[in-house]
Amino acid sequence: MGTRFRFVTLGLVVGLIVINYIDRSAVSYAVEPLEQEFGITTAQYGIISSVFSLGYMVAAFLSGPLVDRFGTQRVLLVAVALFSVTTALIPVAGSFAGLLIIRLLLGIGEAPAFPAATRTVSRWLPIRERGVALALCGGVAVSGSLLISGPLLTWLTDLVGWRGMFWTLAILGVVWAVFALAFLRDLPEESSRVDAAERELITAGQEAEAGPGRSRVRWRPLLTNRNLWVVSGGYFAWGFMFWGFMYWLPSFLSDAYGLSIKQAGSFSIAPWACGIVGALAGGVIVDRVYRRSPRIRSRFSVMGVALLLAGCSLVPLAISPTLTVALVSISLGVGFGFITGGIWWVAAIDAAPDQPGSAAGFADAAFASSGIVAPSVMGFIVSSTGSFTSGFVVMACLAVTGALLMLLVPREPVTAAVAAAETAGNPA
């Protein structure tokens, strides 16, 4: 039957992403003590939040080539060391400038996670298993961490104080690094825990174009890759909705319906719970669709339909909804959107199977850029109109635009095997 160590490797990557998202959200549970301790204003806190995405965007673009060149284990161990140290330094930052630098470095440290996850899945799992695997990484781990971060971080704060909360999270990163040193390997053939049967199963399920080991990034084919630009454009569209709700959902519920922050937090659970369901469904759907129709465009079709449904789900928000209608509408929008959660990474591998880390970094940078744009655009709309309605309209329009991009623009690549067959059938 063979070993199944590939799933242990997948579990390590999923665990890292959960730690990443809990770490990056921790500062939002320490706003008051940070403001009191370091004399930071609310406006400065907003800048501190945004600078994380700036560091993340730049580093995501650069970390993909690093992962392809040096392998996942080396890059991730350096990254974990960086974000663990910066997390531990937050309570002793001393000033606004100190926090600004620390948050910038935290974004840089957390950026390699998804490029590394994408390369790991591409080298450790056969094609037919990647949909669910990357749904766990890009969907379930993300929405699940947002579900548990609130209760976990408030419990830690009560137990060890707000400073102790950050130090505990830093230790968690160190613990992960210990497991990664013991179990994480760049390729199946480098692990003594993978037997011949499992290695053969993985190898048989690889693309013909996939490189066997590490390689230098080739920029020209990457930057002229049509499907990769489509993935990045669609990911930006979904990212605008994701970041918009992540930053503004509690404020919307409080302002529009007079809920307390605690009540708004409780009501905010529903959309992220739907995100978990959507991410799992997306992974299963894309794998089944690909088995029936093994074409790259089948992945884009699933993502396009999901984005279209996500955009349409937000329409009731523009018609003065009740609290129930708003929650159902937002939950459906987030749930349908998260169907795409892991497929972005599958599509990135499809677009550039010979350098999957670089392709994932390219797409992740587009997603991170939406994390810079969405909070500021939503904030500008709310401050200028006194309402969230126009912001929801922008979200819906971007989602529909992204859907049309996914459905109409991708091109089915000509693989080496197909090209050879066509040449043999049509000799010069």
Side-chain angles (χ1 to χ4, degrees), residues 87-360:
T87 298
L89 289 175
I90 289 176
V92 294
S95 65
F96 167 68
L99 275 175
L100 202 66
I101 294 171
I102 287 172
R103 287 291 290 182
L104 181 67
L105 292 174
L106 183 65
I108 293 171
E110 294 194 358
F114 280 113
T118 305
R119 181 175 176 85
T120 299
V121 169
S122 75
R123 295 302 183 259
W124 273 86
L125 275 77
I127 295 175
R128 60 187 177 86
E129 294 179 350
R130 292 178 187 170
V132 172
L134 285 167
L136 290 172
C137 296
V140 175
V142 174
S143 52
S145 62
L146 292 173
L147 264 180
I148 67 173
S149 61
L152 175 64
L153 294 173
T154 52
W155 174 75
L156 277 176
T157 301
D158 289 339
L159 185 66
V160 295
W162 69 274
R163 289 185 175 87
M165 174 191 73
F166 287 109
W167 293 332
T168 302
L169 294 178
I171 293 171
L172 193 60
V174 174
V175 171
W176 184 91
V178 171
F179 279 96
L181 276 170
F183 299 109
L184 183 62
R185 297 294 181 268
D186 299 328
L187 301 168
E189 52 265 33
E190 295 175 358
S191 175
S192 61
R193 295 175 175 84
V194 179
D195 66 8
E198 184 178 22
R199 193 174 296 119
E200 183 179 349
L201 183 150
I202 295 169
T203 302
Q206 297 291 306
E207 301 93 337
E209 296 80 6
R214 305 170 189 87
S215 60
R216 295 183 183 276
V217 63
R218 294 180 294 115
W219 288 107
R220 182 176 177 81
L222 195 72
L223 297 176
T224 57
N225 191 310
R226 177 175 177 167
N227 284 0
L228 186 56
W229 280 102
V230 173
V231 171
S232 300
Y235 207 8
F236 178 91
W238 158 236
F240 190 95
M241 184 185 296
F242 171 81
W243 293 110
F245 282 132
M246 181 176 172
Y247 281 107
W248 288 102
L249 181 56
S251 296
F252 165 66
L253 295 174
S254 297
D255 294 350
Y257 303 103
L259 302 181
S260 67
I261 293 298
K262 187 175 182 179
Q263 290 173 324
S266 298
F267 280 109
S268 298
I269 291 175
W272 305 120
C274 288
I276 294 176
V277 176
L280 286 172
V284 172
I285 291 169
V286 76
D287 278 348
R288 288 187 177 180
V289 169
Y290 187 81
R291 289 190 190 106
R292 294 181 181 180
S293 176
R295 292 167 55 84
I296 302 304
R297 286 185 66 94
S298 69
R299 323 263 210 202
F300 287 98
S301 297
V302 173
M303 289 190 289
V305 172
L307 279 181
L308 187 62
L309 291 173
C312 292
S313 295
L314 301 185
V315 172
L317 289 173
I319 317 175
S320 301
T322 63
L323 175 59
T324 300
V325 171
L327 280 174
V328 171
S329 178
I330 293 170
S331 296
L332 287 174
V334 171
F336 284 128
F338 260 108
I339 287 176
T340 68
I343 313 176
W344 302 111
W345 312 107
V346 181
I349 296 172
D350 290 338
D354 57 330
Q355 38 188 348
S358 301

Side-chain angles (χ1 to χ4, degrees), residues 31-40 91 94 162-163:
V31 177
E32 186 175 340
L34 285 172
E35 290 179 347
Q36 292 175 352
E37 187 73 18
F38 305 132
I40 294 169
W162 69 274
R163 289 185 175 87

